[in-house]
């Protein structure tokens, strides 16, 4: 059996989630906006899921805006906050996902002053630099991720909130990778807007949410429908929403057990990696997600190593799934000041609830074989 070690790219859908979705494909097929009984049955499914997703992040159900996933939620946060507003500054972390970086850069082409937030060698915000940046003039928004998809480094986003608010702006937190892996709340993250994606926590793909605190002044990206308080028009993807809802509920219920299980695998992996002299682990000294280890094996290109591991039956990533295939060193590692020659060797292992200690043992054996080549 091949070992799937790429859960930060996506997770398998939990069988309990599939069971919860199926009736909504076969049964209550009404449009949630319809007033008749078919519509009301569909609406009940949507609203139950809204409460389940809200509970995952300690939000109010009415603060949840459904989107097609993390990419759309990030775009909605950044563009929705900026549309129609005086073009001031927006700031984003230098290690953000492309869905934040490229949304920000597109606003830059539209006249906004876009600045990166510098990171330390551990992948953490350079707080003195960020404090100065916030004190330099008014800011419409700052975007920082709670946990990095490549390194797993966990960011103290709450520390950014008073700085951003002091500059007159809102704080957006991309919690796509943190959700289901860390205890998460709007209060603890300091977020005014927070991004979630279902397929990273054993839910279906193509559904996510932007959590928007009351009072945040956001414009829609999509026009033509009154759904989601006019912030995201379009008939709701009912089965996916129901699946996301249950996936969020299970993630909350099982958080501790899941974290403990992947943490044990991560410790086993990293103990083995430390015995291979040619290995560098990235973000090793920072707090990281319990399931994520990104490392390089000296003398190897990350993508070549990925393909060799794939042939041996191990599915890993050579960085963020979106950047894979580009052949460029990861922007996350470059922002941490890693030498591009070392960064090019990066491979990411991200565990999930189906992985076993046997898989880690045989993965380490395979890697030891490559280290000798
Ligand atoms: C940190 C982060 N943000 C956003 C996304 C995009 O999410 P989605 O695939 O749901 O569009 C990802 C996906 O890899 C991610 O890791």
């Amino acid at each position: 059996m091949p070992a799937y070690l790429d859960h930060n790219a996506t997770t398998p859908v939990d069988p309990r989630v599939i069971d919860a979705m199926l009736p909504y494909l076969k049964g209550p097929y009404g449009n949630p906006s319809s007033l008749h009984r078919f519509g009301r049955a569909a609406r009940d499914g949507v609203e139950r899921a809204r409460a389940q997703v809200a509970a995952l992040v300690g939000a109010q159900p009415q603060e949840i805006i459904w989107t097609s996933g993390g990419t759309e939620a990030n775009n909605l946060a950044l563009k929705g906050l900026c549309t129609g507003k005086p073009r001031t500054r927006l700031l984003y972390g230098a290690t953000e996902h492309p869905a934040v970086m490229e949304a920000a850069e597109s606003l830059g082409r539209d006249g906004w002053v876009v600045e990166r937030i510098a990171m330390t060698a551990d992948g953490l915000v350079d707080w003195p630099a960020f404090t100065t940046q916030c004190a330099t003039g008014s800011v419409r928004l700052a975007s920082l991720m709670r946990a990095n998809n490549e390194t797993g480094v966990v960011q103290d986003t709450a520390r950014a909130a008073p700085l951003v608010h002091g500059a007159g702006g809102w704080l957006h937190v991309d919690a796509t990778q943190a959700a289901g892996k860390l205890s998460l709340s709007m209060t603890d993250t300091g977020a005014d807007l927070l991004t979630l994606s279902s397929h990273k926590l054993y839910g279906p793909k193509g559904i996510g949410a932007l959590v928007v605190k009351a009072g945040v002044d956001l414009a829609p990206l999509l026009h033509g429908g009154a759904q989601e308080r006019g912030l995201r028009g379009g008939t709701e993807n009912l089965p996916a929403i129901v699946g996301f809802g249950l996936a969020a509920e299970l993630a909350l219920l099982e958080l501790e057990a899941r974290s403990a299980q992947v943490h044990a695998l991560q410790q086993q992996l990293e103990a083995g990696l430390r015995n291979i002299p040619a290995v560098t682990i990235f973000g090793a000294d920072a707090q990281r997600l319990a399931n994520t280890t990104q490392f390089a094996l000296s003398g190897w290109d990350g993508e070549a190593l990925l393909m060799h591991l794939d042939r041996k039956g191990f599915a890993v990533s050579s960085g963020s799934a979106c950047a894979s295939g580009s052949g460029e060193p990861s922007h996350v590692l470059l922002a941490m000041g890693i030498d591009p020659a070392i960064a090019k060797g990066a491979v990411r292992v991200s565990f999930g609830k189906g992985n076993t200690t046997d898989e880690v043992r045989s993965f380490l054996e395979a890697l030891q074989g490559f280290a000798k080549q």
Side-chain angles (χ1 to χ4, degrees):
M1 266 290 274
Y4 184 76
L5 306 175
D6 201 13
H7 292 79
N8 286 9
T10 196
T11 54
V13 183
D14 188 307
R16 295 168 291 180
V17 168
I18 298 176
D19 288 346
M21 291 171 68
L22 281 176
Y24 285 89
L25 287 162
K26 294 178 176 167
Y29 43 76
N31 185 324
S33 299
S34 300
L35 295 179
H36 49 62
R37 67 191 63 215
F38 292 82
R40 289 198 303 273
R43 167 68 43 206
D44 286 349
V46 170
E47 296 313 321
R48 191 174 339 104
R50 200 186 297 283
Q52 288 166 313
V53 171
L56 179 66
V57 295
Q60 296 300 316
Q62 65 273 18
E63 294 175 324
I64 304 294
I65 307 294
W66 302 121
T67 65
S68 62
T71 301
E72 184 188 330
N74 286 345
N75 272 269
L76 177 57
L78 272 68
K79 295 176 189 167
L81 280 174
C82 292
T83 301
K85 293 288 178 280
R87 290 174 174 75
T88 55
R89 288 189 304 152
L90 65 96
L91 318 178
Y92 71 87
T95 54
E96 291 306 300
H97 188 272
V100 163
M101 299 205 315
E102 289 174 27
E105 295 304 335
S106 83
L107 288 159
R109 290 189 290 278
D110 198 30
W112 286 80
V113 177
V114 178
E115 296 173 16
R116 290 189 182 205
I117 301 164
M119 297 289 146
T120 65
D122 289 328
L124 298 168
V125 170
D126 177 340
W127 291 106
F130 185 54
T131 306
T132 308
Q133 219 170 1
C134 288
T136 312
S138 79
V139 167
R140 178 65 185 157
L141 79 105
S143 185
L144 283 170
M145 65 208 321
R146 178 74 174 124
N148 186 269
N149 45 306
E150 296 188 26
T151 57
V153 167
V154 174
Q155 203 70 253
D156 181 7
T157 54
R159 189 169 165 186
L163 299 170
V164 180
H165 294 159
W170 301 109
L171 176 65
H172 167 245
V173 173
D174 181 353
T176 300
Q177 293 292 346
K181 298 179 188 138
L182 289 177
S183 156
L184 194 65
S185 79
M186 293 299 280
T187 313
D188 293 351
T189 55
D192 299 303
L193 306 98
L194 182 123
T195 289
L196 297 172
S197 176
S198 150
H199 74 104
K200 309 289 187 183
L201 42 84
Y202 306 96
K205 295 173 180 49
I207 183 74
L210 183 66
V211 191
V212 185
K213 266 189 13 195
V216 175
D217 177 15
L218 194 73
L221 296 183
L222 304 181
H223 300 268
Q227 291 89 351
E228 304 305 293
R229 296 188 281 117
L231 284 171
R232 209 279 190 164
T235 302
E236 297 87 341
N237 184 350
L238 181 57
I241 288 173
V242 167
F244 182 19
L246 182 62
E249 184 176 312
L250 294 171
L252 188 59
L253 281 171
E254 297 173 2
L255 181 70
E256 276 180 36
R258 289 185 194 178
S259 307
Q261 185 238 344
V262 291
H263 186 54
L265 299 177
Q266 185 189 47
Q267 283 187 316
Q268 182 191 353
L269 173 70
E270 295 194 6
L273 290 177
R274 288 200 181 91
N275 283 333
I276 307 176
V279 164
T280 310
I281 300 177
F282 300 114
D285 296 331
Q287 187 200 341
R288 279 177 293 134
L289 292 174
N291 80 319
T292 309
T293 302
Q294 192 183 35
F295 65 92
L297 185 59
S298 118
W300 278 87
D301 176 79
E303 287 188 2
L305 185 55
L306 179 156
M307 295 316 294
H308 278 75
L309 285 165
D310 187 39
R311 262 178 242 136
K312 295 245 176 212
F314 302 100
V316 300
S317 159
S318 64
S320 73
C322 326
S324 296
S326 67
E328 292 298 314
S330 136
H331 75 279
V332 173
L333 296 177
L334 296 185
M336 291 161 65
I338 308 284
D339 178 343
I342 297 175
K344 261 187 93 78
V347 158
R348 176 190 69 191
V349 169
S350 47
F351 294 116
K353 56 194 176 86
N355 293 130
T356 63
T357 54
D358 277 351
E359 287 174 336
V360 179
R361 195 179 25 76
S362 45
F363 177 79
L364 283 166
E365 278 166 16
L367 211 60
Q368 267 148 0
F370 293 132
K372 287 187 194 125
Q373 284 178 26

